[in-house]
Amino acid sequence: MPKLVHPNTTVSTSRFLEALQGINHTGRPPIWMMRQAGRYLPEYRAIRDEAARHHNGFLTMIQTPELATEVTLQPIRRFGMDAAILFSDILVTASALGCPVRFVEKKGPVFDTPIRSPEALAALRPASDAVPHLQYVMDAIRMLKGVLDVPLIGFAGAPFTVASYMIEGGSSPTLSHIKRMQYNQPDVLHGLLSQLTDVTIAYLKQQVDAGVDALQLFDTWTNHLSVYDAQQLCFPYIQQIITAMKAYTSIPIIVFCKNTGVLWPDLVATGPTAISIDWGCDAVHMRACIPDTLALQGNVDPFLLYADPETIEKRVTRLLNDLGHLPNYIVNLGHGIMPDIPVAHVQTLVNTVKAWGS
Ligand code: CP3
């Protein structure tokens, strides 16, 4: 695999890590994108088509360190983002607990044995026995650290969002099973959230030991909850994870959730280094609300990338003119990139950020 060369960039002085610490701003903010490695890239689809000849193509990709490494590098090589995110998935912690996930073409993740009873919860592996099942992730991180010269972001799903898939059995427009469980079997739900919290802490510690430079927690489906319910089901567990990680390491922790326009005070209280905001809120308003000591990441509308390059450039320049001068701002999307986005439009977004302020 070729060694990546980005002159003037070493991990210790990276734009991305400096923005997380709010120091040394020079010229422009850093940029990376959620789901930057994925199906919109022809080189990703080539590897995926090859892997599809195996039993479970996407899982083969994330479980084979050479393939996970290659796919992580693809967007860095093509666009030169300021950070790489490990190619994996948030649902690997569920599989490690003994609740296996399959990824089905045009459908997404499927759990054949969803967790809907005390018996199903009791049959899961204890968190301490789960992490050895994720050794392939640590192997990919170590391999990546040998070839990358931008920072590597490790990640995990937050307990509520991972639990939602384990309980629903896959993606769901309403999350009705988890909501039913919240009212009818609260002990099972909180037992699962606790077990996921434990496995997530152990998993993230291992990622730190393997060499990641920053962490991001994804709690995507908070937008299905009232503020009160998010305070019961999401934030106490996120806070436990952040507290445990801060006691273990000084590396930065970013938290992403949806409905940040409403939930930001609770997110701030969980103690992260940075908050990744969705595109439903106004970034300037958010910057004024969230304490300056926290970095802000986001919040380009992922659907803006369907627009023509001129419109993309105009809208992103507006965001940059508003926030690009700040030492602790990171450009990202408000959610993951869609699979049918033209590669040229992603290039326009990256070029716009890189040209700004120079
Ligand atoms: O580039 C990156 O961001 C790193 C890798 C990454 C993936 N998923 C790869 C992936 C990350 C960080 C995730 C996070 C993830 N996975 C989340 C939280 C963030 C978000 O986007 O909301 C969630 C909810 C999942 C669960 C998941 N994984 C779903 C719902 C799906 C199917 C939907 C889809 O887009 O097909 C996946 C599969 C998945 N994870 C793909 C990728 C590139 C598509 C796999 C393929 O078909 O090739």
Side-chain angles (χ1 to χ4, degrees):
M1 202 163 294
K3 172 110 173 110
L4 289 179
V5 178
H6 293 286
N8 307 326
T9 313
T10 63
V11 167
S12 58
T13 59
S14 109
R15 230 176 246 287
F16 170 69
L17 294 177
E18 287 186 348
L20 283 167
Q21 295 165 74
I23 53 168
N24 250 0
H25 183 59
T26 45
R28 65 162 179 93
I31 175 167
W32 71 278
M33 290 178 219
M34 290 188 267
R35 295 268 179 111
Q36 64 189 20
R39 284 164 296 179
Y40 74 102
L41 283 176
E43 57 270 37
Y44 173 92
R45 292 197 302 271
I47 292 192
R48 198 177 181 288
D49 289 348
E50 179 67 25
R53 296 201 271 122
H54 297 269
H55 168 59
N56 203 330
F58 177 67
L59 282 180
T60 303
M61 284 170 76
I62 64 176
Q63 290 172 355
T64 310
E66 290 77 10
L67 293 181
T69 298
E70 169 58 21
V71 173
T72 303
L73 295 177
Q74 285 176 344
I76 311 300
R77 219 182 261 142
R78 189 189 265 267
F79 306 109
M81 277 92 169
D82 297 301
I85 181 159
L86 171 72
F87 183 73
S88 185
D89 198 82
I90 62 164
L91 300 177
V92 297
T93 44
S95 286
L97 284 174
C99 184
V101 59
R102 295 186 291 127
F103 288 87
V104 178
E105 194 69 43
K106 298 201 166 58
K107 191 166 173 203
V110 173
F111 288 91
D112 295 311
T113 51
I115 308 299
R116 295 191 189 150
S117 65
E119 295 74 26
L121 174 65
L124 293 177
R125 270 184 206 119
S128 52
D129 294 350
V131 176
H133 293 266
L134 296 168
Q135 186 52 42
Y136 61 88
V137 176
M138 312 314 151
D139 295 341
I141 292 171
R142 291 205 169 84
M143 197 172 282
L144 274 161
K145 288 303 293 176
V147 288
L148 260 180
D149 52 12
V150 291
L152 179 62
I153 305 167
F155 70 91
F160 173 74
T161 293
V162 177
S164 77
Y165 286 95
M166 295 171 79
I167 293 166
E168 300 296 326
S171 300
S172 155
T174 54
L175 300 192
S176 28
H177 286 290
I178 194 167
K179 290 189 178 197
R180 245 180 233 132
M181 188 181 277
Q182 175 192 356
Y183 298 114
N184 299 316
Q185 303 184 84
D187 294 350
V188 179
L189 179 54
H190 283 278
L192 180 58
L193 292 170
S194 289
Q195 203 156 334
L196 281 166
T197 300
D198 292 346
V199 77
T200 304
I201 292 168
Y203 178 48
L204 291 178
K205 285 181 177 175
Q206 292 236 336
Q207 291 190 34
V208 172
D209 293 347
V212 298
D213 301 290
L215 293 168
Q216 179 155 321
L217 266 179
F218 288 89
D219 214 353
T220 308
W221 301 132
T222 47
N223 58 329
H224 285 272
L225 298 174
S226 67
V227 173
Y228 178 79
D229 286 340
Q231 287 167 347
Q232 312 302 308
L233 303 179
C234 302
F235 298 118
Y237 298 101
I238 291 178
Q239 183 156 17
Q240 267 187 56
I241 295 168
I242 292 179
T243 304
M245 293 314 294
K246 277 165 118 177
Y248 189 71
T249 174
S250 59
I251 77 166
I253 309 178
I254 309 164
V255 180
F256 167 78
C257 77
K258 291 261 199 79
N259 205 13
T260 27
V262 170
L263 296 175
W264 66 266
D266 295 290
L267 261 188
V268 168
T270 64
T273 317
I275 291 186
S276 194
I277 56 174
D278 69 71
W279 76 102
C281 52
D282 180 68
V284 174
H285 176 61
M286 282 295 103
R287 184 62 285 179
C289 294
I290 293 169
D292 287 345
T293 46
L294 271 71
L296 189 79
Q297 178 175 277
N299 71 344
V300 177
D301 178 353
F303 301 98
L304 172 66
L305 296 177
Y306 287 125
D308 57 280
E310 291 81 335
T311 307
I312 296 170
E313 194 183 329
K314 221 164 104 193
R315 293 276 286 269
V316 172
T317 301
R318 203 175 130 226
L319 182 66
L320 289 165
N321 289 345
D322 282 339
L323 297 178
H325 60 284
L326 296 173
N328 57 358
Y329 171 61
I330 298 159
V331 183
N332 204 316
L333 303 177
H335 193 195
I337 196 164
M338 309 297 289
D340 56 355
I341 292 296
V343 168
H345 294 189
V346 176
Q347 186 74 65
T348 301
L349 170 52
V350 176
N351 290 351
T352 304
V353 175
K354 290 202 163 181
W356 184 83
S358 61

